[in-house]
Amino acid sequence: MNRLMLTAVTVLSLAGLAQAEVTEEDLAKDATTVGDVLTNGMGRGLQRFSPLETLNKNNVKHLVPAWAFSLGGEKQRGQESQPIVYDGIMYITASYSRLFAIDIKTGKELWQFDARLPEGILPCCDVVNRGAAIYGDYIYFGTLDARLVALNRKTGDVVWNKKIANYKEGYSYTAAPLIVNGLVITGNSGGEFGVVGEVQARDTKTGELVWTRPVIEGHMGTYKGKESTMTGTLNATWPGDLWKTGGGATWLGGSYDADTDTLVFGAGNPAPWNSHLRGAGKPVEGNKGDNLYAASRLGINPENGEIKWHFQTTPREGWDFDGVNEVVPFISRDGKKRFATADRNGFFYILDREDGKFVAAYPFVKNITWAKGIDKNGRPIYVEENRPGDPTAAADGGKGQQVFAVPSFLGGKNWMPMAYSQKTELFYVPSNEWGMDIWNEPISYKKGAAYLGAGFTIKPLFEDYIGSLKAIDPNSGEVKWEYKNSAPLWGGVMATAGGLVFVGTPEGEFKALDDETGEVLWTFQTGSGVVGQPVTWEQDGEQYVSVISGWGGAVPLWGGEVAKKVNYLNQGGMVWTFRLPKQLALAQ
């Protein structure tokens, strides 16, 4: 591993000034403190809302660059990370499983860790990393060869390095870890390779496994080194042995609802994509073809990994509508504790926080074709003729009937995190308006090989835009305003008490919008597409905003006609940090 280290004198001087270790209490308060950013999502509930209001609608035009840091070299590609800020240092992960420590006052590199990636890694959707976690004196992040690494946050030295899964079988890891009560909790990636989705919890100090929870029925969980319980009921919703390679990768990580002491993780697409092979291709009695718990949200006990509840957004899934998108706790207008999640399938769901039960669902993208709506129990009302056809019914034994489906398999919303404003009580959802030609093909499982059984081409729905940032009222599903963008939106969103919504575009523009109207109030050209996740904090009495810029992710690799439309965009790798000067804080 190659690392650029501080000199011994600098390390010692930093250690003398260092703050205390990060505690569970610090993590629990992250959403309300303003001097640091300790968790992915700016709080473990993932609301991505800052109570800071120094920077506001009147003065955001005075926001200026403070420093910029280049990730350098040839290792560019997609930069989807969110910064962690603590003790005068910013920690940022980058493509190809790298982690940088940066002085937040100067933008100077303090140290760098490069994971030694083996030949033959199999990341499906670019070489991205979405962020780190901090606890005690350690900084944690995952690698593309499905490992979890703990580093000393002051020096970058490796404390422990643990294997999550076997990368040769198609597993990888790209999400930011989640830390709760001294456990570092991870999912896994690799759903296109017939892997089995799983959530793991490890001791933060040693990296030793405490519990594991596979999320596909029939697999056994573990607790403290011994088998605990089976996930679901063997063959209850899967035919034959397909559960053994059933997919459901937990590749986006999870959130934590402290009020109910519940981890909430999403499970990705079932494998293979060809739903006819899984008994889900046509209506069946009961829920035999639902393929639990793929395309679902799961409430998990953080102490032992037991499943408390589940809600499946797309039973009988056949379009690659992963169920991994973040689940965000909020309080509804009538005072009820609710979850909100904007699904890849194009519907915005409201669930009860106590038991995960369905409350409501609203379409948030246009022209949905695969379902007419969602029934009173939360199940889709399918349009069966818009399911990709069964290839075994084809006269030549080739591909099944092709359909045009909306949204595309990249989703009404993909991984890019939404924000919730406690000020406006609106969710700000980065979405895309696109569809796809999709068809099924014969497929058989081979370890380490793609396991789709489908072909596809993504197409834009409208000539003038694909990306759409929508302000959604979770109490009614009403879209209060919409900001349209020519290229797809693929980065995270942040809201602030100052009345601002920050978002980046693939065209390189980092923007601040009015949270009530969607009007663009400030923009800055970063030089490459923004698919990262913005954060804000207060330092020396001034408000700062940071975002990572660097075009990439799944769109250029999987986007079909959409990828051709944006192939002029340049790659990059830059951390941009902006500040509102004190003397301009009151300026109009």
Side-chain angles (χ1 to χ4, degrees), residues 30-34 36-37 41-43 46-57 60 82 326 328 416-430 469-472 481 491-504 510-518 521 532-537 543-547:
D30 189 42
T32 59
T33 56
V34 297
D36 47 34
V37 180
M42 300 170 61
L46 310 187
Q47 288 190 348
R48 299 180 184 274
F49 174 77
S50 171
L52 279 169
E53 52 188 6
T54 304
L55 183 65
N56 57 50
K57 298 177 186 181
V60 68
Q82 181 214 284
E326 73 277 18
V328 180
M416 55 278 191
M418 63 185 181
Y420 175 72
S421 172
Q422 297 174 18
K423 174 177 168 284
T424 63
E425 297 183 329
L426 299 175
F427 278 90
Y428 300 95
V429 181
L469 178 64
K470 297 179 173 75
I472 298 177
W481 55 257
V493 181
M494 175 180 67
T496 76
L500 302 171
V501 176
F502 285 88
V503 67
F510 185 44
K511 299 175 182 286
L513 282 64
D514 186 305
D515 63 358
E516 295 176 302
T517 68
L521 303 176
Q533 308 166 56
V535 297
T536 188
W537 75 94
Q543 188 170 348
Y544 284 72
V545 177
S546 275
V547 73

Side-chain angles (χ1 to χ4, degrees), residues 31 33 51 124 189 209 237 239-240 248 305 338 356 376 391 399 415 451 471 480 527 560 576:
T33 56
C124 87
S189 305
L209 274 173
T237 65
R338 301 300 195 205
K376 64 180 182 180
K399 72 178 188 180
W415 82 276
Y451 189 42
K480 294 292 186 179
W576 286 97

Side-chain angles (χ1 to χ4, degrees), residues 373-415:
I374 307 298
D375 72 17
K376 64 180 182 180
N377 298 313
R379 290 184 70 89
I381 304 168
Y382 291 101
V383 180
E384 287 297 340
E385 56 268 29
N386 280 330
R387 178 184 295 272
D390 185 353
T392 62
D396 59 359
K399 72 178 188 180
Q401 181 180 358
Q402 176 179 302
V403 300
F404 184 72
V406 179
S408 81
F409 75 89
L410 289 180
K413 177 185 172 300
N414 200 279
W415 82 276

Side-chain angles (χ1 to χ4, degrees), residues 7-22:
T7 63
V9 172
T10 308
V11 171
L12 289 173
S13 64
L14 276 177
L17 298 173
Q19 296 181 19
E21 294 184 350
V22 176

Side-chain angles (χ1 to χ4, degrees), residues 242-255:
L242 281 176
W243 60 275
K244 293 181 179 179
T245 52
T250 50
W251 58 267
L252 196 52
S255 59

